[in-house]
C-alpha cells in the first residue's frame, strides 16, 4: 500500500511539472489542464549527449521533439539555427508520413521530450478538439516562419 501511495505521489508531482512546462509551449496554447495532462502522459523523456545526432535528413519523421533543457542545432543546407529550452522541432511529423528536411544534433547535454506521431494521432482521434487546437497552433507557427 505504501509503495502505491509513494508511486502515485511521485507520478502526480511529475505530471504537474510536465503540465506547467507544456503550458509554455506555443504549440499547446489554448489547451485545458486536462488536455495538457493527456499530452504529458504521452511524453517519452530522452537525454542526448553533447554532439549526439537526434535525427538525420531524409530519415522518417515520426517524432515531435520538445527541448526541455540544453541546446540543439538544426542544420539545413547552408543554414543552421540553435534551439533553446522550450523550443520544439520535428513538427513535420504531425502532418503525416514525411521525411526530415534537416539534421538535428545536441550542442551540449540535452533533455528532450519526445511525442511519437502514432500516440498523438490516437489522441487527436479520441479528442478532436485537442487535435484541432494543436493543428491550428501549428499552422499559425508555420505561417509566421514564411
Amino acid at each position: 500500500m505504501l509503495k502505491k501511495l509513494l508511486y502515485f505521489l511521485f507520478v502526480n508531482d511529475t505530471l504537474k511539472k510536465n503540465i506547467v512546462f507544456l503550458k509554455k509551449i506555443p504549440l499547446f496554447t489554448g489547451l485545458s489542464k486536462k488536455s495538457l495532462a493527456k499530452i504529458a502522459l504521452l511524453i517519452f523523456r530522452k537525454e542526448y549527449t553533447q554532439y549526439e545526432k537526434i535525427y538525420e535528413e531524409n530519415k522518417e519523421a515520426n517524432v515531435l521533439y520538445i527541448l526541455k533543457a540544453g541546446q540543439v542545432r538544426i542544420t539545413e543546407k547552408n543554414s543552421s539555427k540553435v534551439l533553446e529550452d522550450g523550443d520544439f522541432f520535428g513538427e513535420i511529423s504531425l502532418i503525416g508520413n514525411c521525411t526530415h528536411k534537416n539534421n538535428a544534433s545536441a550542442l551540449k547535454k540535452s533533455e528532450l521530450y519526445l511525442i511519437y506521431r502514432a500516440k498523438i494521432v490516437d489522441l487527436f482521434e479520441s479528442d478532436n478538439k485537442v487535435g484541432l487546437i494543436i493543428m491550428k497552433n501549428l499552422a499559425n507557427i508555420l505561417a509566421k516562419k514564411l
Side-chain angles (χ1 to χ4, degrees), residues 79-100:
S79 67
S80 70
K81 63 181 172 182
V82 176
L83 304 179
E84 303 285 340
D85 300 357
D87 287 334
F88 64 91
F89 56 102
E91 61 273 11
I92 193 76
S93 66
L94 297 177
I95 296 171
N97 294 330
C98 301
T99 58
H100 291 289

Side-chain angles (χ1 to χ4, degrees), residues 4-5 10 14 21-23 27 37-39 44 48 58-59 65 67 75 79 95 102 104 114 116-117 120 137-138:
K4 285 184 182 180
L5 180 60
F10 174 74
T14 300
F21 174 73
L22 290 174
K23 191 172 186 160
L27 190 60
K38 289 179 184 180
I39 294 167
F44 175 76
Y48 290 85
N58 297 321
K59 299 290 183 183
Y65 299 89
L67 184 55
T75 55
S79 67
I95 296 171
N102 52 34
L114 286 60
Y116 288 88
R117 179 177 54 235
I120 197 97
N137 289 340
L138 179 60

Side-chain angles (χ1 to χ4, degrees), residues 129-145:
K129 186 176 179 182
V130 170
L132 179 64
I133 291 170
I134 290 174
M135 295 310 280
K136 182 180 173 186
N137 289 340
L138 179 60
N140 288 330
I141 291 164
L142 293 176
K144 288 177 184 175
K145 290 182 179 182

Side-chain angles (χ1 to χ4, degrees), residues 42 60-64 93-94 96-97 115-126:
L42 301 178
E60 182 183 8
N62 61 2
V63 177
L64 171 69
S93 66
L94 297 177
N97 294 330
I115 302 176
Y116 288 88
R117 179 177 54 235
K119 293 196 178 258
I120 197 97
V121 166
D122 286 346
L123 175 61
F124 290 176
E125 290 174 357
S126 68

Side-chain angles (χ1 to χ4, degrees), residues 49-65:
T49 59
Q50 186 175 23
Y51 306 123
E52 184 177 357
K53 287 183 184 178
I54 298 168
Y55 63 74
E56 294 179 350
E57 184 178 7
N58 297 321
K59 299 290 183 183
E60 182 183 8
N62 61 2
V63 177
L64 171 69
Y65 299 89

